[in-house]
Amino acid sequence: MKTTREHIKNILIDHGVQPSSYRIRILECLSEPNKHPTADEIYQHLLEDFPTVSKMTVYNTIDVLLESSLIRKITIGHNEARYDGAISEHGHFKCQVCQQIFNFEVDLSLMKVAGLNHFKVESKDVYFYGTCEECTQKSMK
Ligand SMILES: [Zn+2]
Ligand SMILES: [Zn+2]
């Protein structure tokens, strides 16, 4: 089901964030499955609807959404920050062939870690790299 603008608006209000049209548009862009755009891609996307929007405004809007935990930042491959509208627990798989990033389900509570007693863990990220299903099949033909 595609997330409607009205639904996104309610999510923003629930998080105490003013539902400006930029914020709604960014969340809409990030609600598509397996979408992990860079800040620049989000900016290009917003330009379609708001030809006068500045890069600064878009970056600031992204920061507001990050601070409200409505989106999260991921850094996968080449230290390039990407943004993710799926804030539930999931891992990221980057295909080294088509460069796409896929979400996958992961239960981080089952991960065995040692040596971090008395450490305060603030975030956990799982990144896998390899070849996606489609690219694997293509290479076998
Ligand atoms: Zn691929
Ligand atoms: Zn994701």
Side-chain angles (χ1 to χ4, degrees):
M1 197 188 82
K2 206 166 154 32
T3 317
T4 63
R5 287 192 183 184
E6 201 52 39
H7 178 66
I8 291 172
K9 204 173 160 180
N10 289 331
I11 293 173
L12 282 164
I13 294 167
D14 283 349
H15 282 77
V17 183
Q18 184 77 18
S20 71
S21 38
Y22 294 154
R23 290 169 186 169
I24 292 172
R25 197 72 192 86
I26 291 178
L27 281 187
E28 192 177 47
C29 159
L30 286 169
S31 69
E32 287 168 42
N34 290 318
K35 263 271 169 126
H36 303 94
T38 61
D40 197 56
E41 282 166 352
I42 294 173
Y43 168 65
Q44 298 299 336
H45 203 82
L46 254 77
L47 275 180
E48 292 169 17
D49 284 359
F50 311 99
T52 56
V53 70
S54 74
K55 215 170 218 184
M56 200 63 205
T57 304
V58 173
Y59 284 37
N60 287 341
T61 310
I62 291 171
D63 280 343
V64 170
L65 296 173
L66 273 176
E67 278 162 26
S68 320
S69 304
L70 284 160
I71 60 172
R72 66 175 190 179
K73 196 188 223 173
I74 60 170
T75 312
I76 188 165
H78 312 295
N79 281 334
E80 188 179 43
R82 293 179 169 274
Y83 298 90
D84 195 344
I87 44 171
S88 57
E89 189 170 273
H90 65 276
H92 290 106
F93 181 97
K94 180 163 187 180
C95 176
Q96 310 280 42
V97 181
C98 67
Q99 307 300 319
Q100 272 197 86
I101 298 166
F102 301 88
N103 293 331
F104 65 88
E105 280 176 42
V106 62
D107 188 346
L108 290 172
S109 67
L110 297 175
M111 190 162 66
K112 268 204 167 136
V113 291
L116 288 179
N117 293 339
H118 313 298
F119 281 60
K120 199 174 144 217
V121 178
E122 273 154 16
S123 68
K124 295 177 181 175
D125 293 300
V126 179
Y127 295 129
F128 285 13
Y129 299 87
T131 312
C132 75
E133 192 178 359
E134 207 184 314
C135 292
T136 305
Q137 278 173 1
K138 270 188 208 157
S139 72
M140 289 191 299
K141 272 178 195 161

